[in-house]
Amino acid sequence: MKRRKFIQNASLSTFGIAVGTSVFASETKTSISEVSNPKSGTSGFPMVIATWNVNSSTAEAWRVLQEGNSALDAIEKGCMVEEANAEGQSVGIGGLPDRDGNVTLDACIMDSKGNYGAVVYLQHIMHPISVARKVMEDTPHVILAGKGAEQFAISEGFKPIDLLTEASKKAWEEWKKTSQYKPIINIENHDTIGMLAIDKNGDISGGCTTSGLAYKIAGRVGDSPIIGSGLFIDNEIGGATATGLGEEVLKTVGSFLIVELMRQGKTPQQACEEAIGRIIKKNPDYKDFQVGYIAVNKKGETGWYSIHDGFWVTKYQNDKNENFHSDFYDKK
Ligand code: GLY
């Protein structure tokens, strides 16, 4: 818990909520930049970029790409690394539960052909990203929810497990003593994992996986599994994905907006900044919550931006697996 950095800690109306409450998954940083605003960033592919400091995940995705596999394979394998990390309390096993003590997971995946699959409110399954891929590839549907999603996963061979670790149970029991919602708007290193990849053929895919807001009301679903909000890919243009307070991303359909802005000629950086600007313009409470975006265009040029300080990005490109401290809007 010592790595936690509470950027702000103010009440967020009735539902002041912990955003990105997680323990940092210990990662080896290969290189760290200062606060970065990659206006003239590097380009090229294959490449992979992800929200937060998730070097092990990007390394796995890169390995899959280097073997000549598709961006879709790289996304699934890369996201699985974080989902299996029990120390990360915002994704997969070990995720912080809802207010009733249930760990519920949301995830989606999108390929270069515009296919999309998602699971929402999935319980007891370690790898929602893989179930989302099965929804996309093996069913005529795009989203499966709750018990139905769990039954589908089990029918596809996924083993049901208890996702609530001792550490997350302890944190929940501690929270229950006051049941007080507080938005912990930014833990330095981690929240939802959104990942975008381009393979050697120049085809783009993306994925997004999360346990959502800690101590949320049972049944709450965030932006991460929703096409256009937590993730959007258009193989002619590029892709974008989000982390942070899902409600705000949903209301502005953030990832679709970023891809459409790139279609109109904006760089990935300009598009991310404009999407953050839309949230700020519409919401005077922006000081109480965090949102971060990452984006990539068809050339492999990237951008990232957040409302507040504390957002990090990992990019594996041109043989380098690097962490970047994102530039942000709220300079006080
Ligand atoms: N961005 C994750 C969530 O709000 O659930």
Side-chain angles (χ1 to χ4, degrees), residues 65 69-76 197-200 203-206:
L65 291 168
N69 298 299
S70 68
L72 187 68
D73 289 336
I75 290 293
E76 182 185 0
I198 311 181
D199 60 31
K200 68 176 178 8
D203 288 328
I204 311 170
S205 292

Side-chain angles (χ1 to χ4, degrees), residues 106 191-192 210-213 220-224 242-247:
D106 299 333
D191 179 44
T192 300
T210 190
S211 52
L213 297 179
R220 182 265 186 191
V221 172
D223 62 309
S224 302
T243 183
L245 186 64
E247 280 72 4

Side-chain angles (χ1 to χ4, degrees), residues 53-295:
N53 290 328
V54 289
N55 301 57
S56 303
S57 293
T58 50
E60 174 62 6
W62 178 258
R63 185 193 64 74
V64 172
L65 291 168
Q66 289 301 300
E67 287 178 356
N69 298 299
S70 68
L72 187 68
D73 289 336
I75 290 293
E76 182 185 0
K77 298 285 185 227
C79 288
M80 284 172 72
V81 172
E82 261 318 302
E83 289 178 342
N85 173 15
E87 286 175 39
Q89 290 185 299
S90 57
V91 174
I93 188 165
L96 289 170
D98 65 17
R99 60 200 304 176
D100 300 333
N102 299 309
V103 180
T104 70
L105 306 178
D106 299 333
C108 76
I109 197 161
M110 193 164 183
D111 72 10
S112 58
K113 298 186 182 75
N115 296 310
Y116 156 80
V119 286
V120 304
Y121 199 75
L122 176 67
Q123 296 184 62
H124 306 126
I125 303 292
M126 169 104 80
H127 290 300
I129 194 76
S130 302
V131 185
R133 184 170 178 177
K134 291 272 183 205
V135 172
M136 180 174 83
E137 293 181 337
D138 295 356
T139 81
H141 309 303
V142 293
I143 305 178
L144 291 183
K147 259 291 169 238
E150 186 179 333
Q151 282 162 2
F152 169 74
I154 291 167
S155 76
E156 291 279 339
F158 292 83
K159 297 270 169 297
I161 57 163
D162 185 0
L163 295 170
L164 188 63
T165 56
E166 271 311 308
S168 288
K169 189 169 173 209
K170 235 171 128 182
W172 170 61
E173 281 166 350
E174 200 54 42
W175 171 81
K176 271 201 304 181
K177 286 181 187 164
T178 55
S179 296
Q180 198 184 7
Y181 281 124
K182 280 199 179 149
I184 302 166
I185 68 155
N186 211 347
I187 306 305
E188 189 176 356
N189 318 57
H190 213 290
D191 179 44
T192 300
I193 301 305
M195 187 179 283
L196 308 166
I198 311 181
D199 60 31
K200 68 176 178 8
N201 300 321
D203 288 328
I204 311 170
S205 292
C208 199
T209 182
T210 190
S211 52
L213 297 179
Y215 321 128
K216 61 200 173 189
I217 293 174
R220 182 265 186 191
V221 172
D223 62 309
S224 302
I226 305 301
I227 189 169
S229 290
L231 174 74
F232 195 70
I233 304 293
D234 184 323
N235 201 43
E236 287 179 11
I237 305 298
T241 185
T243 183
L245 186 64
E247 280 72 4
E248 299 305 319
V249 178
L250 281 160
K251 286 190 279 185
T252 49
V253 201
S255 294
F256 182 72
L257 172 64
I258 290 170
V259 173
E260 289 306 300
L261 289 167
M262 291 194 290
R263 189 191 306 280
Q264 291 163 21
K266 300 246 192 263
T267 65
Q269 184 61 35
Q270 288 166 339
C272 287
E273 289 180 22
E274 186 160 336
I276 289 291
R278 291 282 174 99
I279 294 174
I280 287 160
K281 198 170 159 193
K282 289 191 173 165
N283 197 330
D285 295 330
Y286 71 87
K287 283 188 180 287
D288 296 341
F289 59 83
Q290 173 69 303
V291 171
Y293 287 116
I294 62 173

